[in-house]
Amino acid sequence: GFSDAKELVPDLNNASLQMFADQESMQRSINRIAVFVESSSKGEVLSDEELRNHYANGNNKPYIGHDYQARYLASFFNTANKNGIKLNEAEEKLRSELLSQGIITQNSSTKLDEAPVGNRTYIATSYEQGDRKTAITLNHELIHARFFTDEKFAHKCRQYFNALPPNLQSQVKETLSRLGYNKNDQDLMINEFTAHMLVENTFLKHDTADGASRPGRDPRVAALFEKLSKFNGFLPREQLETERSKLRSALSGYNLPEYLEPYAKIESSS
């Protein structure tokens, strides 16, 4: 169901949260929107076949959490209608729910308002991930919601990112691009950098040498090493912690979620 994000973060305004029962139902409702807003196909509403092909690419994984401004949601539904793209039942249901919640509004019989008053934001994730992973995902998405709804916060995030050395900015963009984000969207890069840096280890450089092929290793652990190798970051742990601390300091005064370690040490599973 829907709730006001202020229940989680009292000083966060204009953000609504929808919790889905499982990932499958959320993906049917939002995957096409995610591609429209954040991928290299930004601004395109994909057909069913195009959407299947998009996610058939190993680098394009469905997101486990979402956060979109109301104006982009309105633009998605308007574009789909204009281009004659038939949406599925879950997407049509989401459209009705967003309207009933006042997250998007109608400005004519056929069009939604793409310039709504205020910076209304929609957050979504699912219960299916388990408590810890759901908490991490929510922390990540709540940072996005603050970026969208608080211009002073967004300005500080932009200042911090733009002051980073150019080579570091490029490494951030390449890492996020491998995760399916549109690296040519500067605000998206800054928003994702902030959330990933504060609550996740996306940019951590893992030691994966021979990790997947070590004799006798549990196949599940080998698969994790293989995944880490494919999506490896670039910052040694000490440098990552330093950068995270500096970013937190730059954003002091805001109610920021804490970093949660998502996994036990890999070796403990071997």
Side-chain angles (χ1 to χ4, degrees), residues 1 8 16-27 30 63-68 122-131 133-142:
L8 294 173
S16 296
L17 168 66
Q18 182 177 19
M19 294 297 297
F20 286 82
D22 55 71
Q23 286 287 305
E24 183 179 357
S25 59
M26 182 176 73
Q27 288 168 11
I30 311 181
Y63 298 150
I64 58 176
H66 300 268
D67 201 309
Y68 306 117
Y122 166 74
I123 306 167
T125 188
S126 80
Y127 292 109
E128 189 180 39
Q129 306 170 65
D131 291 347
K133 186 58 180 173
T134 297
I136 293 169
T137 303
L138 274 174
N139 284 351
H140 179 110
E141 301 305 336
L142 287 166

Side-chain angles (χ1 to χ4, degrees), residues 13-268:
N13 298 311
N14 295 322
S16 296
L17 168 66
Q18 182 177 19
M19 294 297 297
F20 286 82
D22 55 71
Q23 286 287 305
E24 183 179 357
S25 59
M26 182 176 73
Q27 288 168 11
R28 281 187 55 77
S29 301
I30 311 181
N31 274 0
R32 203 183 322 246
I33 296 173
V35 175
F36 178 84
V37 179
E38 294 190 344
S39 78
S40 56
S41 299
K42 181 174 181 177
E44 297 179 32
V45 178
L46 303 187
S47 66
D48 288 346
E49 182 179 1
E50 290 169 331
L51 189 64
R52 284 193 296 270
N53 290 338
H54 175 85
Y55 286 111
N57 179 338
N59 287 350
N60 295 327
K61 300 293 184 184
Y63 298 150
I64 58 176
H66 300 268
D67 201 309
Y68 306 117
Q69 291 172 286
R71 60 193 178 99
Y72 287 122
L73 296 169
S75 179
F76 167 81
F77 290 112
N78 285 341
T79 303
N81 183 57
K82 177 183 176 182
N83 294 347
I85 301 295
K86 182 174 175 55
L87 301 180
N88 65 41
E89 184 178 343
E91 291 164 330
E92 293 289 1
K93 179 183 177 183
L94 177 61
R95 181 183 185 278
S96 295
E97 290 174 332
L98 292 171
L99 278 167
S100 67
Q101 291 290 323
I103 297 170
I104 57 176
T105 56
Q106 201 97 31
N107 68 1
S108 73
S109 60
T110 57
K111 289 198 70 175
L112 299 172
D113 186 2
E114 296 184 23
V117 176
N119 297 318
R120 196 69 188 267
T121 295
Y122 166 74
I123 306 167
T125 188
S126 80
Y127 292 109
E128 189 180 39
Q129 306 170 65
D131 291 347
R132 176 166 285 267
K133 186 58 180 173
T134 297
I136 293 169
T137 303
L138 274 174
N139 284 351
H140 179 110
E141 301 305 336
L142 287 166
I143 289 169
H144 288 333
R146 190 177 291 282
F147 185 94
F148 289 142
T149 60
D150 187 330
E151 183 52 41
K152 289 182 179 178
F153 178 81
H155 179 68
K156 286 189 174 183
C157 294
R158 294 184 188 105
Q159 276 188 318
Y160 187 90
F161 185 84
N162 291 332
L164 292 174
N167 66 314
L168 190 58
Q169 292 186 39
S170 295
Q171 287 175 304
V172 167
K173 291 180 178 182
E174 288 304 318
T175 300
L176 292 174
S177 177
R178 291 202 304 272
L179 297 176
Y181 296 105
N182 179 5
K183 66 180 180 181
N184 295 316
D185 186 332
Q186 183 74 355
D187 247 20
L188 175 64
M189 291 292 98
I190 294 169
N191 197 353
E192 292 297 341
F193 166 79
T194 304
H196 281 276
M197 180 61 76
L198 288 177
V199 302
E200 298 183 74
N201 276 344
T202 305
F203 305 117
L204 175 65
K205 182 174 178 59
H206 300 276
D207 181 8
T208 60
D210 300 321
S213 59
R214 185 180 300 176
R217 183 176 294 286
D218 185 312
R220 293 170 299 176
V221 179
L224 179 55
F225 269 105
E226 186 175 351
K227 181 179 179 181
L228 290 175
S229 179
K230 185 175 183 181
F231 295 108
N232 209 351
F234 55 90
L235 291 174
R237 183 173 289 275
E238 184 176 349
Q239 187 178 351
L240 177 73
E241 297 295 348
T242 298
E243 203 63 53
R244 181 179 287 144
S245 177
K246 286 165 58 180
L247 179 56
R248 281 190 172 277
S249 178
L251 298 174
S252 62
Y254 288 95
N255 184 5
L256 298 174
E258 292 299 315
Y259 165 73
L260 296 173
E261 184 69 48
Y263 307 109
K265 289 185 178 179
I266 294 170
E267 286 301 323
S268 67

